Every structure is written in C-alpha cells, then in structure tokens.
Amino acid sequence: MVQQPTMTMGQKIPLTIKRLGINGEGIGYYKRNVVFVKGALPGEEVYVELTKINHNFAEAKVLKIQKKSKARQIPPCPVYEECGGCQLQHMKYSYQLTAKRDVIVQALNKYVKSEAKNIQIRQTIGMDDPWHYRNKSQFQVRQPGKHVLAGLYAANSHKLLNIDECLVQNPMTTKITNATKKVIDDLQIPIYDGRSMKGIIRTIVVRVGIQTGEVQLVLITTRKNFAKKELLVEKLKQIDSSIVSIVQNINADKTSLIFGEQSITLTGKDTIHEELGELAFDLSARAFFQLNPQQTVHLYDQIKNASALTGKETVVDAYCGVGTIGLWLAKDAKEVRGMDIIPESIHDAKQNAKKHRFKHTQYVTGTAEKWLDIWQKEGFVPDVLTVDPPRTGLAPSLIKTILQVKPKRVVYTSCNPSTLAKDLQELTKIYHVEYIQPMDMFPQTSHVESVSLLTLK
C-alpha cells in the first residue's frame, strides 16, 4: 500500500510554534513533520499555508496569528519584511537573548545528548543598545529608473531595496552612503547593470572607526578610468571631514563577490585607524575586522577569562586572521603562536604584533593541523589552543590533530551552534566542556555566537 503524503503544497493548517530555528524562523510540528514558519514566534498559535514540501519537513507562511506571543513587537524598520538582512526585529530584545541561548541548547540535545545535560550554558551577553552597532556597510548601487538607488537586495530576489536608513548600521555609514549616492546621481556617472554588465559604479562600501571616528569610503567600479572621475573625488571629499580615505576597488567580473583584486587610494590614507581595548589596528579596504567592535571587546574578554592565563602559558591562536585574539591574550601569555591559510592575514598579524612591541609572538602561513603536528614533533604543545573557525566549524583533520596533540585547554569561539555541537561530539572523547557562554554579536539577527571552555578529562 502506497503511503499518502501527510502534507501538500498550498495546504492550510493550524500550528503551535514550539521554538526558534537557527535562521530565526518559528518551528512547529504537523503529523510528526517539522514545519518552518518565517516570522512566527515560540508559543504562538498560527494558521499557515504550506509553501514548500520536502521529504521530512515543510516551509509555510503565516496567514493569521490566532494567539500572539508576548515577545512580539512591531518591527521598527520600514523595510524589515522585505529586506531579510535582520530576522528578529519582530521579537523584543530580551526574548532574542533567551531564544539564542535556546538554539545552543537544541543543537547540543541533537548532537551530544548524553553530555548536554551536564554542560553549563550561561545566559546570553547582550548589548545595552542593540541598534546602530555595525561599523561597515556594503550597499549595492543600481539605477532602475531616473535616480540612483543604494541598498540591499530583497530576500530571495533580484529587487534592490533603496535603504536611506538602516537601524543596525552606525549612523555615519548611512550618512556617507546617502551623500555618495546623491553625488553619483548629480554627476550622472553610469551605474552598473548586472545583466548587460555595462556601467561603472557597482557598490558603495563605508567603514567607520568607532573609537577614532575615521571613515573610509570605497567605490567598487567596473574599470579604473571613467569620465568625471577627478570631479567625483573632489565632491566626495566635501561630504564630511571624518572621511580620511577614499579608495577605488576594481571588480569587472560577473560575480556576487563585492571586492575585486585591485584597490587604488584616490585621496587620503590607505587605511583607517581603529582601537579595540588597548590594541590599535590600521584597516585597509579589504581587511577583515569585526563588524561590532563594542561587543567584540566583551567577546575577547570572555576568551581571555576562559584561557585563564598567568604569564606562564603558551597559546596557539588557530584561524588567527590578523592576529586579534592572540594579541588580546599576549600580555598574559609566555608565548603566542598563530596560523592562517591567507598570507596577507599573516603579514598583517606580524605587523600588528610588531606595532604593539610583542617579541614573544610567532605567525605562520598554513593550516592549524599542519603546524600543531610540526610543533608537537619539535616538542611544543600549547597549554591553550584558541579556535575561531568559520560557520562550517573545525576541519575534521584539525579535530583529529587536537585529539592527538591534547592541549590542556581549548577555547572554542563559534558562530554556528550546529557545527559547534557536531565538533563537541568528537572533542568530548577526551575533553570536558566546562561551560558555554552565548554572546550576541548581531542583535536583531538570528546569528548566535558563543565561547566554550574545554579542559582535558
């Protein structure tokens, strides 16, 4: 007998939302099948229409909220529903913090059920003011009609939303972007068209030094030279005295990547200066830097607390980037070593260490597993290994190496609860998870960060 499907496209069903998913959607169950509902909140009773059917789950849209959650609020952003850049503006902030902790609990129960009940998961550290925190904006530029638009694409579409104010962006990035958009419009400089590949201006990127007030304005263009370029630069210089660097980046490819390989400083400095606690950094147009510097200080302090350094310990900073985490720990460590697969990052890490006069740091290009193995053979095993991997989590080969090298403490900074939990499945063979500290680095979004302390059993 052929089993009939329990759900069909367009079917309308009642649901009770049990919890929040990793992408900020509500999760309910219909005849033992998981249903993801965008915009629904835990505790709500909703009437929905099924919009996508998969083997063991479905997606649905809300037709009516029959019982509202007390966590629900009216999103303050006028383009929130269309934009997709934020996922949780319809949820009061205190509830966002609780929900983000719960996403970690769910992931642990799924992947490390036997360990989960013994792991201390602390309350999420949030922000006093969870708005206007992003220090960098990257707004696409298009001209569908008479005037130049700059903003983000609507979720799952090719429609550009013109955004005059973004509530999670630092106000200075908004001011500079809007003024730049007007200058480009007034000078009638041709705008890039993604279909025909014609036009000049593709993207406006603005980064502000939160502690220093310095601003860098980057124009992504399809070619180096174009009409009225000098006049454009003169007009952009007049926007605001805080602009200390105007850079042109050339990207002629048909790609979703923002930056091309070539950057030219048009006027001012090559970099802007930014400070993070006691550390200072010079940031070039393409350099990676945390998007929420205020909360980054709290994140790095949590990493320092977990590392519990007394001045006698050796530290390895895997996935070190430009060296920020290792340098944050360097003052209290006997020695810091770091590695990254991107040569430019290692160059910057060395420069940053030199600038801060640290003589006990060493940075090398390559994977963490390669260098941990080499160093172990030379008799060096770190007391503390700190890892801050991408969303995909730790490489299986690195997990294997960690289990073999056995650093006394592993401090795992995660931006994805699912891959963290999967990695803990392996690491808990020899490590005890002392605690997990959730951190809200991106208020109003579904992103969940955390710092976990692992000690050898």
Side-chain angles (χ1 to χ4, degrees):
M1 189 173 124
V2 179
Q3 190 177 353
Q4 292 299 314
T6 56
M7 299 186 288
T8 53
M9 277 283 284
Q11 186 180 353
K12 295 176 175 114
I13 57 171
L15 274 184
T16 299
I17 304 301
K18 299 293 185 186
R19 60 181 202 269
L20 215 59
I22 201 157
N23 297 311
E25 68 284 83
I27 296 177
Y29 296 89
Y30 182 72
K31 297 188 177 176
R32 294 189 176 177
N33 290 291
V34 175
V35 183
F36 296 103
V37 188
K38 186 184 171 188
L41 294 175
E44 290 189 328
E45 291 171 13
V46 290
Y47 192 57
V48 304
E49 181 181 332
L50 300 180
T51 55
K52 195 173 178 183
I53 309 288
N54 286 68
H55 170 58
N56 55 356
F57 72 90
E59 292 175 23
K61 66 177 181 183
V62 175
L63 296 176
K64 190 180 177 190
I65 300 172
Q66 280 151 331
K67 183 189 168 192
K68 260 186 195 177
S69 165
K70 58 184 178 188
R72 182 171 287 280
Q73 66 177 9
I74 296 168
C77 173
V79 294
Y80 171 65
E81 301 293 344
E82 288 181 275
C83 175
C86 297
Q87 299 81 37
L88 296 178
Q89 280 194 26
H90 62 295
M91 190 181 212
K92 291 174 186 169
Y93 189 55
S94 61
Y95 290 93
Q96 289 183 33
L97 299 179
T98 304
K100 290 187 180 192
R101 178 184 181 275
D102 188 54
V103 168
I104 295 174
V105 172
Q106 289 172 46
L108 293 176
N109 282 329
K110 183 175 179 182
Y111 293 106
V112 280
K113 202 168 177 69
S114 58
E115 301 273 342
K117 59 182 181 295
N118 301 319
I119 297 174
Q120 178 199 352
I121 304 169
R122 297 177 173 176
Q123 297 303 312
T124 310
I125 296 173
M127 296 188 74
D128 292 336
D129 178 9
W131 302 98
H132 300 299
Y133 56 82
R134 288 178 66 100
N135 63 351
K136 182 182 180 184
S137 62
Q138 300 183 144
F139 279 11
Q140 303 300 324
V141 184
R142 298 293 182 269
Q143 191 170 2
K146 279 186 178 179
H147 292 291
V148 174
L149 309 181
L152 303 171
Y153 282 101
N156 309 312
S157 84
H158 296 292
K159 180 192 171 190
L160 188 78
L161 294 172
N162 189 53
I163 299 175
D164 287 324
E165 186 186 5
C166 176
L167 297 180
V168 294
Q169 282 293 151
N170 180 283
M172 184 55 84
T173 68
T174 304
K175 177 186 171 182
I176 304 289
T177 301
N178 288 342
T180 301
K181 178 171 61 176
K182 187 174 185 313
V183 168
I184 292 166
D185 202 357
D186 290 347
L187 292 177
Q188 297 184 328
I189 293 175
I191 302 304
Y192 172 73
D193 182 312
R195 290 201 178 114
S196 68
M197 297 293 288
K198 289 178 179 170
I200 303 292
I201 309 285
R202 290 177 76 132
T203 314
I204 300 168
V205 180
V206 181
R207 175 150 57 186
V208 58
I210 302 295
Q211 294 302 319
T212 63
E214 291 190 352
V215 172
Q216 182 174 65
L217 168 59
V218 185
L219 290 182
I220 316 286
T221 63
T222 54
R223 58 180 185 265
K224 181 180 175 181
N225 297 316
F226 53 90
K228 302 183 193 169
K229 181 174 167 181
E230 289 76 17
L231 181 58
L232 172 64
V233 174
E234 283 307 308
K235 296 274 187 191
L236 294 177
K237 275 162 64 175
Q238 292 164 24
I239 289 173
D240 197 278
S241 59
S242 62
I243 301 174
V244 298
S245 170
I246 299 178
V247 173
Q248 179 187 11
N249 176 270
I250 298 146
N251 183 356
D253 297 336
K254 188 161 188 167
T255 172
S256 59
L257 295 174
I258 303 283
F259 283 89
E261 292 299 314
Q262 188 185 6
S263 294
I264 305 154
T265 303
L266 299 176
T267 185
K269 305 192 293 178
D270 296 334
T271 60
I272 59 167
H273 193 65
E274 179 61 308
E275 293 164 3
L276 210 57
E278 295 175 10
L279 303 180
F281 300 91
D282 292 312
L283 307 173
S284 58
R286 292 176 64 199
F288 169 78
F289 195 69
Q290 294 282 355
L291 290 167
N292 184 347
Q294 186 186 342
Q295 200 70 335
T296 299
V297 171
H298 298 305
L299 176 74
Y300 288 178
D301 279 344
Q302 287 301 322
I303 296 169
K304 185 184 272 192
N305 292 346
S307 301
L309 302 174
T310 64
K312 297 174 184 173
E313 295 82 8
T314 52
V315 175
V316 166
D317 178 15
Y319 306 91
C320 72
V322 299
T324 43
I325 291 174
L327 296 177
W328 199 264
L329 304 176
K331 204 167 72 169
D332 301 310
K334 179 183 171 188
E335 183 185 359
V336 173
R337 299 184 184 189
M339 70 285 277
D340 201 286
I341 56 170
I342 299 168
E344 293 86 349
S345 292
I346 292 302
H347 172 266
D348 288 352
K350 287 177 178 174
Q351 291 300 112
N352 286 327
K354 188 177 174 184
K355 187 165 61 188
H356 291 98
R357 297 193 173 93
F358 288 131
K359 301 254 184 355
H360 61 314
T361 59
Q362 180 184 334
Y363 290 99
V364 288
T365 305
T367 64
E369 49 270 39
K370 171 192 160 182
W371 282 104
L372 282 169
D373 186 48
I374 290 170
W375 290 335
Q376 186 188 33
K377 285 172 180 155
E378 293 172 356
F380 173 87
V381 174
D383 297 304
V384 177
L385 172 66
T386 173
V387 294
D388 185 7
R391 286 189 65 77
T392 47
L394 299 176
S397 50
L398 176 54
I399 292 176
K400 191 177 169 188
T401 304
I402 292 170
L403 295 175
Q404 176 201 321
V405 174
K406 299 185 178 74
K408 288 183 195 130
R409 299 163 91 77
V410 176
V411 181
Y412 188 144
T413 304
S414 162
C415 60
N416 184 340
S418 295
T419 52
L420 168 67
K422 282 181 196 170
D423 291 346
L424 290 181
Q425 234 177 357
E426 295 300 311
L427 292 170
T428 49
K429 288 173 183 173
I430 67 165
Y431 284 96
H432 172 65
V433 184
E434 299 287 341
Y435 64 82
I436 298 176
Q437 174 62 69
M439 293 284 309
D440 191 20
M441 297 294 290
F442 299 102
Q444 319 310 330
T445 77
S446 57
H447 290 287
V448 184
E449 321 269 325
S450 63
V451 176
S452 301
L453 171 59
L454 283 66
T455 55
L456 267 178
K457 287 180 180 173

